[in-house]
């Protein structure tokens, strides 16, 4: 930790000594158990900027922001229940790439496996393109979730904005001690009792879960990363339509995920329950100064094929289910189950072998990545602008576990909505993967037009 940047940051907001050596939480161990070179538990955030870039300020801002994030600058040491996070000797570096790749090629750069025992779980690369840059941020999910990545991005470009304006960086105080309690999930009032918990468990595990077959089991290609960005006008229309109908982007994304799967895989979804894994943020207002980490819950939403063929009823029931999940803090229940299973030798592995919590697909709503509590980003004509460097879009590509064929995501900026799909090459070919995203996009639009 002798990096001069780290010394500057720790002098401003000291990282307590007790943060080094943090034990892994049950969800972090779960993610590591599912992490393999073939299916890395690494998600990606893409940022595109147009206009002039002050590379020296971008570098300084990156160094300052990353040095403040213990979970993104540590290695895993030890085994199983005794594993801990220890600070790495070197901080992650900003990797400036040579010219050569076309802008449309960069999003498809392979997501590499990250061995957290050898290097921290953050990799950030910048490609110069005509008139701007594209940034790829790859983060191991055991280190932090999508909202944690949003915090890093907000700090990075908040500091960059200060430097562009000729100001000395003002770094908000982070609540490092909260990292010690990142697995202490609150209990709502009244708490979920035994009967309610068993009912929720039954609804999650009853019946057969739909599984998509591996059509190309011998394929060695990387996952397919597909992206669609709505224009500012299209985004405004979709948001307005959903708001008028009483729905959210998240409601529409869930409904479009079920509906797209049924349309693209009608025979495979005819039997059993389509099971959608949906991560939900567990942060409270008091957690907003917690450094980047995993404060994400897991929910499983299940529907029969027939239910997915009735658009109005589908999105309405999903909205009601999400209201219940948020009100009752249901996303934390799966994590409490993981923690309880840790108390039995081989408990988590045995639960996974039963296949109860193996989903058919995943949908993640990352929200507005440019919304920052501590920084107010400049806007010129409705576009976020850092001294002429204009934000075009942000897109998130969530991870695929070895069991998951499709991972869909929605990511917003102040003006644009991006939809992405990360799809297993063992289940789809490149053409059908792109076709799936196109159907997903059209379903989002159609759910936005419901009255």
């Amino acid at each position: 930790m002798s990096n001069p940047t780290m010394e500057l940051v720790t002098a401003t907001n000291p990282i307590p000594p007790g943060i080094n050596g943090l034990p892994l939480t049950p969800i972090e161990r779960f993610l590591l158990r599912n992490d393999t070179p073939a299916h890395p538990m690494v998600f990606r955030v893409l940022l595109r900027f147009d206009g002039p870039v002050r590379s020296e300020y971008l570098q300084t801002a990156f160094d300052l922001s990353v040095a403040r994030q213990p979970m993104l600058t540590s290695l895993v040491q030890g085994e199983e229940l005794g594993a801990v996070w220890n600070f790495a000797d070197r901080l992650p570096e900003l990797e400036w790439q040579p010219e050569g790749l076309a802008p449309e090629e960069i999003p498809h750069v392979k997501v590499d496996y990250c061995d957290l025992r050898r290097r921290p779980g953050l990799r950030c690369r910048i490609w110069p393109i005509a008139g701007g840059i594209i940034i790829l941020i790859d983060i191991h999910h055991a280190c932090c979730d999508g909202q944690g990545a949003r915090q890093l991005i907000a700090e990075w470009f908040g500091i960059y904005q200060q430097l562009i304006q000729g100001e000395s960086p003002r770094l908000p105080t982070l609540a490092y001690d909260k990292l010690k309690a990142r697995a202490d999930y609150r209990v709502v009032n009244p708490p979920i009792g035994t009967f309610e918990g068993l009912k929720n468990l039954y609804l999650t595990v009853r019946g057969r879960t739909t599984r998509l077959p591996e059509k190309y089991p011998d394929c060695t290609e990387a996952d397919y990363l597909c992206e669609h960005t709505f224009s500012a006008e299209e985004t405004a229309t979709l948001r307005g339509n959903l708001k008028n109908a009483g729905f959210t982007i998240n409601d529409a994304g869930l409904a479009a995920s079920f509906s797209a799967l049924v349309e693209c895989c009608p025979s495979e979804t005819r039997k059993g329950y389509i099971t959608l894994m949906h991560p939900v943020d567990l942060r409270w207002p008091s957690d907003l100064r917690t450094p980047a980490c995993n404060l994400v819950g897991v929910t499983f939403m299940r529907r029969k094929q027939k239910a997915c063929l009735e658009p109005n009823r589908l999105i309405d029931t999903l909205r009601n289910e999400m209201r219940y999940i948020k009100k009752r803090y249901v996303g934390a229940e799966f994590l409490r189950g993981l923690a309880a299973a840790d108390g039995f030798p081989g408990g988590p592995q045995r639960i996974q072998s039963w296949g109860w919590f193996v989903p058919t697909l995943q949908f993640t709503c990352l929200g507005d990545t440019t919304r920052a509590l501590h920084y107010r980003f400049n806007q010129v004509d409705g576009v976020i602008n850092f001294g002429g460097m204009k934000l075009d879009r942000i897109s998130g590509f969530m991870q695929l576990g070895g069991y998951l064929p499709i991972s869909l995501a929605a990511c917003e900026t102040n003006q644009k909505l991006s939809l992405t799909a990360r799809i297993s090459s063992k289940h789809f070919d490149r053409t059908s993967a792109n076709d799936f995203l196109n159907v997903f996009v059209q379903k989002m639009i159609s759910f936005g037009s419901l009255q």
Side-chain angles (χ1 to χ4, degrees):
M1 301 292 281
S2 61
N3 187 302
T5 299
M6 175 61 83
E7 292 175 3
L8 171 60
V9 173
T10 54
T12 306
N13 183 196
I15 300 177
I19 299 305
N20 197 35
L22 285 175
L24 270 69
T25 64
I27 184 63
E28 291 164 0
R29 287 193 291 271
F30 173 80
L31 291 166
L32 280 176
R33 278 194 297 269
N34 286 278
D35 184 38
T36 66
H39 303 283
M41 297 299 291
V42 176
F43 64 89
R44 166 170 290 172
V45 180
L46 177 150
L47 301 92
R48 161 134 186 194
F49 291 93
D50 296 317
V53 179
R54 294 292 300 271
S55 58
E56 70 278 16
Y57 289 163
L58 204 59
Q59 180 73 59
T60 298
F62 176 84
D63 292 340
L64 286 169
S65 57
V66 168
R68 288 158 51 80
Q69 302 296 341
M71 303 303 297
L72 298 175
T73 57
S74 296
L75 306 177
V76 173
Q77 297 179 347
E79 301 296 333
E80 291 299 324
L81 296 180
V84 299
W85 296 99
N86 280 327
F87 294 144
D89 292 333
R90 297 182 60 185
L91 299 177
E93 298 179 354
L94 190 56
E95 302 177 29
W96 298 85
Q97 304 297 307
E99 296 183 12
L101 288 182
E104 60 271 15
E105 295 179 294
I106 296 173
H108 305 290
V109 170
K110 181 182 178 183
V111 178
D112 291 324
Y113 174 69
C114 173
D115 186 350
L116 287 174
R117 297 183 179 277
R118 296 179 178 272
R119 67 176 181 87
L122 170 67
R123 186 180 187 188
C124 185
R125 290 169 284 180
I126 297 182
W127 276 266
I129 59 173
I133 57 172
I134 292 180
I135 302 175
L136 296 185
I137 305 175
D138 291 348
I139 297 178
H140 198 295
H141 204 336
C143 301
C144 83
D145 54 32
Q147 299 303 323
R150 188 179 82 176
Q151 180 185 23
L152 171 67
I153 292 168
E155 289 219 352
W156 181 7
F157 289 95
I159 295 171
Y160 178 77
Q161 177 174 291
Q162 293 174 8
L163 295 173
I164 284 290
Q165 294 172 340
E167 304 171 3
S168 297
R170 301 183 309 280
L171 307 176
T173 298
L174 295 179
Y176 291 111
D177 282 343
K178 280 184 169 289
L179 289 178
K180 299 178 182 178
R182 65 194 187 282
D184 296 342
Y185 310 111
R186 299 192 184 194
V187 177
V188 294
N189 189 23
I192 291 179
T194 301
F195 176 78
E196 185 178 358
L198 289 175
K199 177 184 176 183
N200 290 341
L201 177 63
Y202 171 72
L203 293 175
T204 301
V205 304
R206 66 170 177 172
R208 172 179 173 269
T209 293
T210 298
R211 300 272 188 265
L212 299 187
E214 290 190 356
K215 295 183 178 179
Y216 313 97
D218 298 325
C219 181
T220 57
E221 284 195 64
D223 304 329
Y224 302 124
L225 278 68
C226 313
E227 176 189 26
H228 177 90
T229 304
F230 290 92
S231 68
E233 293 75 17
E234 291 169 336
T235 301
T237 298
L238 178 61
R239 282 177 175 163
N241 290 343
L242 287 170
K243 183 177 180 180
N244 290 337
F247 300 117
T248 66
I249 292 288
N250 188 63
D251 297 333
L254 290 168
S257 299
F258 280 108
S259 188
L261 186 69
V262 167
E263 180 167 321
C264 294
C265 307
S267 59
E268 293 89 340
T269 56
R270 190 169 292 123
K271 295 182 179 180
Y273 288 87
I274 302 169
T275 303
L276 186 150
M277 184 167 73
H278 181 48
V280 292
D281 189 25
L282 296 181
R283 287 166 175 78
W284 294 72
S286 59
D287 294 320
L288 293 178
R289 292 186 184 272
T290 304
C293 64
N294 273 301
L295 286 174
V296 63
V298 179
T299 59
F300 297 87
M301 314 183 88
R302 312 184 84 207
R303 296 292 186 276
K304 291 275 193 177
Q305 185 193 74
K306 182 179 179 181
C308 301
L309 300 175
E310 305 174 39
N312 290 79
R313 177 167 173 74
L314 175 63
I315 192 170
D316 191 56
T317 59
L318 287 169
R319 174 181 56 185
N320 294 339
E321 191 170 346
M322 279 306 305
R323 287 174 175 172
Y324 168 75
I325 286 169
K326 292 178 180 178
K327 180 180 179 180
R328 303 296 288 137
Y329 207 54
V330 173
E333 294 305 299
F334 178 74
L335 307 184
R336 291 192 176 101
L338 282 180
D342 270 343
F344 300 91
Q349 294 89 333
R350 188 174 297 114
I351 290 176
Q352 283 183 265
S353 69
W354 293 338
W356 282 356
F357 303 101
V358 179
T360 314
L361 75 167
Q362 174 176 299
F363 171 73
T364 306
C365 189
L366 295 169
D368 184 354
T369 310
T370 58
R371 188 175 68 248
L373 175 68
H374 308 303
Y375 302 103
R376 297 296 178 89
F377 295 145
N378 289 334
Q379 289 196 21
V380 179
D381 296 328
V383 176
I384 294 174
N385 190 318
F386 302 100
M389 188 176 76
K390 302 175 183 178
L391 176 62
D392 174 74
R393 71 181 188 277
I394 298 176
S395 296
F397 301 84
M398 302 314 291
Q399 72 289 340
L400 280 180
Y403 52 80
L404 195 63
I406 303 169
S407 185
L408 303 167
C411 187
E412 299 177 75
T413 65
N414 284 339
Q415 292 77 36
K416 294 181 179 179
L417 171 68
S418 292
L419 300 179
T420 64
R422 186 164 167 184
I423 296 181
S424 166
S425 61
K426 293 186 180 299
H427 294 79
F428 293 79
D429 59 22
R430 188 175 298 277
T431 299
S432 57
N434 285 316
D435 289 344
F436 191 99
L437 177 66
N438 290 333
V439 173
F440 178 56
V441 170
Q442 292 306 313
K443 294 296 183 181
M444 281 289 291
I445 294 171
S446 66
F447 280 107
S449 63
L450 293 177
Q451 299 298 322

